[in-house]
Amino acid sequence: MPDDEATLPIDELMRAIEAEDRSAVSALAEEMHYADLAHAYQEIEEDKHELFLKTIGPEKAADMIVELPDTMIEEALDAFSPSELKVLFHELSDDDRVDILQDVGDEARLRFLGLLGPEDEELTRSLLKYEHDTAGGRMTTRIGRIFDNQTVKQAIEMLRRGQESTETLSRIFVVDQKGRLLGKLRFRDLAFNTWDTPVRDIMREIGPERVLATADQEEAANMLLKYDLIALPVIDEFDHLLGIVTHDDAMEILQEESTEDIEKIAGIGGEQSEETYLNTSILNQFRRRAGWLTGLAFVSLLSGYVMMRFGSILSQVFLLSLFLPMVVAAGGNTGGQASTMVIRAMSLGEISPGSAGEVAWKELRTGFFLGLLLGTCMALFTVLLLPFFHLPMPPGMSLAKVGVAIAIALTTQVTSATFLGSLLPLGARAVNLDPAVVSAPAIAAIVDVSGMVIYFTVARAILGL
């Protein structure tokens, strides 16, 4: 029931839009959160977009447009006149304004920049020089900033003058006369001290909890989580305070990065789409999936080649075909598990580049014990249960011998696949590739081939074929 009640205003809004009831749309939009408005905008028919935007106006639309997928932003902005766009851009925080301008075409970006006031245009251009996926590209410059040589009274007066242009005062940063970051304090630290108290006496020095503007956005998000911060200061190479990345930015960054990693692990390439699944075109889905699938299909042909080369073994002991899919699949499963564990640990900063040997040794032992467990189970199954099925066997060959061959092959396959699955992401990082690109489908295709080679080689050696 609570979920139904929560979605009811959106349903009412969408019905009002379809009916072109502007008064109802305006009244409902006034009471709704901008994220819900963005959801409604994506769900309604395209020919109703302009009516919706014109009805709610540029002030209400400002925050909503930030939540839209990047492919829909320019279209939404074009619904407004230049005078309305000036209002809209004025309502946006500097980081949101930059995010929007990074998502539109070059021609539109220049046109929109020309609508900004001189101060906003200069600030926006300075932020646009940073890539979207860097800390500088995600930071806001609207921060509480005071000087170390001020008193509490002077600091409060300075913050009061800039309160309209400050995004958050939950954390206030202290700089020296050259703008270099020295420390931080909370607003209550100012409120609970006497007016003549020097700021430098009550500030807390900042240690490693700072990030370069050119650093990857994921590094900034992980630092916010690691140090349990509300705001992470962003600096240049000379320690000048440029801005902050806030905790809500961190949540958005981690959502983007986790989605990207999940898609790469699943073998989905191309640029990540911000549109909802149902709103993403079939052509876009096709482009992002086709490359990996085609490549892996050709890799899988090697499995067929191995089968052809060792086909005589199966013809002599057809019972081996019962265990072949299981041995191959076990390698793919354990290799995928190992790569996922290592990629996750790498993304959390738990594995340094110099710890490859330690990781490989750990996964090698883990894979061996897993393989030993599975091999023992299959050997017992072969010896204890298969006799009840009265399966034909070549003269002079026992189920015990087959069980030993399967156990050895399975242990070797699982051990090697786990070892390979752990090393491939580390190797990818060593050559500056995204470890997530070494995805589970890729590892599965590789260990399919290696698994068949191991299985048939062990069977021929143990069974004397």
Side-chain angles (χ1 to χ4, degrees):
M1 183 64 69
D3 290 340
D4 294 339
E5 291 175 357
T7 59
L8 186 57
I10 297 181
D11 296 335
E12 289 183 3
L13 177 65
M14 293 178 65
R15 285 195 293 269
I17 295 170
E18 291 299 322
E20 299 189 8
D21 186 347
R22 290 177 179 269
S23 60
V25 171
S26 180
L28 288 166
E30 195 62 35
E31 302 299 323
M32 292 176 62
H33 192 274
Y34 54 82
D36 292 329
L37 294 178
H39 175 74
Y41 182 86
Q42 295 177 67
E43 295 300 319
I44 61 177
E45 296 295 329
E46 190 173 336
D47 59 357
K48 303 291 185 182
H49 284 172
E50 185 172 352
L51 178 142
F52 179 39
L53 291 168
K54 288 288 191 179
T55 302
I56 65 176
E59 293 184 3
K60 190 71 175 178
D63 287 330
M64 184 207 79
I65 290 177
V66 177
E67 299 297 318
L68 293 178
D70 50 12
T71 55
M72 304 179 78
I73 286 177
E74 188 170 342
E75 173 217 31
L77 292 173
D78 286 338
F80 294 106
S81 66
S83 60
E84 290 172 325
L85 285 173
K86 288 181 180 180
V87 174
L88 187 149
F89 285 123
H90 182 72
E91 290 293 317
L92 292 170
S93 62
D94 52 358
D95 56 331
D96 286 340
R97 188 188 309 124
V98 169
D99 287 344
I100 284 179
L101 293 179
Q102 286 172 330
D103 291 331
V104 302
D106 293 341
E107 184 179 337
R109 186 181 303 116
L110 290 174
R111 176 161 50 89
F112 295 146
L113 281 169
L115 298 173
L116 303 178
E119 185 177 336
D120 284 343
E121 182 179 359
E122 182 182 359
L123 173 60
T124 302
R125 287 185 183 276
S126 69
L127 293 176
L128 281 171
K129 70 182 181 182
Y130 297 108
E131 295 292 332
H132 177 68
D133 57 358
T134 63
R138 302 304 292 258
M139 72 180 176
T140 177
T141 59
R142 299 170 62 180
I143 59 177
R145 185 196 317 246
I146 58 178
F147 294 101
D148 66 319
N149 61 351
Q150 290 178 319
T151 64
V152 166
K153 180 180 179 180
Q154 292 170 330
I156 291 177
E157 288 175 348
M158 182 176 178
L159 294 171
R160 183 183 292 117
R161 289 193 298 270
Q163 62 178 320
E164 293 299 326
S165 61
T166 302
E167 182 169 322
T168 177
L169 288 175
S170 57
R171 290 295 180 271
I172 300 166
F173 295 92
V174 183
V175 297
D176 63 16
Q177 294 302 302
K178 294 184 178 180
R180 291 176 297 200
L181 179 64
L182 297 178
K184 64 180 179 180
L185 46 76
R186 295 168 293 184
F187 191 80
R188 70 180 187 182
D189 295 327
L190 297 175
F192 294 158
N193 279 280
T194 59
W195 281 24
D196 59 347
T197 303
V199 166
R200 66 169 62 90
D201 290 350
I202 59 174
M203 76 175 189
R204 290 187 295 277
E205 292 187 359
I206 294 180
E209 57 269 28
R210 62 184 74 191
V211 67
L212 282 171
T214 53
D216 188 88
Q217 60 178 3
E218 191 173 7
E219 180 182 343
N222 286 332
M223 288 185 73
L224 275 157
L225 292 179
K226 179 180 180 180
Y227 297 112
D228 195 21
L229 301 174
I230 294 176
L232 176 70
V234 181
I235 59 171
D236 63 14
E237 59 272 24
F238 302 108
D239 263 355
H240 295 123
L241 178 62
L242 303 177
I244 58 170
V245 177
T246 57
H247 66 286
D248 56 323
D249 290 323
M251 290 189 290
E252 185 177 334
I253 291 168
L254 292 175
Q255 181 183 17
E256 292 173 3
E257 295 290 343
S258 62
T259 300
E260 181 183 357
D261 288 346
I262 289 169
E263 289 180 347
K264 286 180 178 177
I265 288 172
I268 300 175
E271 187 176 348
Q272 182 187 145
S273 174
E274 294 183 3
E275 294 187 74
T276 60
Y277 170 77
L278 292 176
N279 287 329
T280 304
S281 68
I282 294 176
L283 181 60
N284 187 36
Q285 295 277 19
F286 173 80
R287 281 199 304 263
R288 300 186 67 204
R289 299 186 194 182
W292 266 107
L293 289 177
T294 304
L296 294 175
F298 280 101
V299 172
S300 297
L301 288 176
L302 294 174
S303 299
Y305 175 75
V306 173
M307 183 81 76
M308 290 173 59
R309 293 280 296 177
F310 291 94
S312 60
I313 296 178
L314 286 180
S315 63
Q316 294 178 63
V317 186
F318 194 66
L319 176 62
L320 292 175
S321 62
L322 173 65
F323 297 96
L324 176 59
M326 182 272 301
V327 172
V328 171
N333 292 336
T334 55
Q337 286 179 340
S339 68
T340 301
M341 294 290 288
V342 171
I343 290 171
R344 177 187 177 276
M346 290 168 66
S347 67
L348 295 177
E350 297 174 356
I351 297 178
S352 63
S355 57
E358 185 179 354
V359 172
W361 175 233
K362 180 183 180 70
E363 288 298 328
L364 185 66
R365 288 175 293 167
T366 302
F368 174 74
F369 289 123
L370 289 171
L372 193 61
L373 171 65
L374 294 176
T376 302
C377 290
M378 289 302 108
L380 292 174
F381 171 80
T382 304
V383 173
L384 300 178
L385 295 181
L386 282 187
F388 292 101
F389 293 91
H390 304 291
L391 298 173
M393 294 288 293
M397 187 174 296
S398 66
L399 285 175
K401 209 170 184 181
V402 173
V404 170
I406 292 168
I408 294 175
L410 189 54
T411 302
T412 306
Q413 162 73 335
V414 171
T415 303
S416 62
T418 305
F419 180 72
L420 180 66
S422 67
L423 281 187
L424 283 179
L426 294 168
R429 184 170 69 175
V431 294
N432 296 321
L433 291 177
D434 190 333
V437 172
V438 186
S439 58
I443 292 173
I446 295 171
V447 299
D448 280 356
V449 179
S450 65
M452 285 190 176
V453 172
I454 290 170
Y455 185 64
F456 288 124
T457 301
V458 170
R460 183 165 59 185
I462 299 296
L463 303 179
L465 301 175

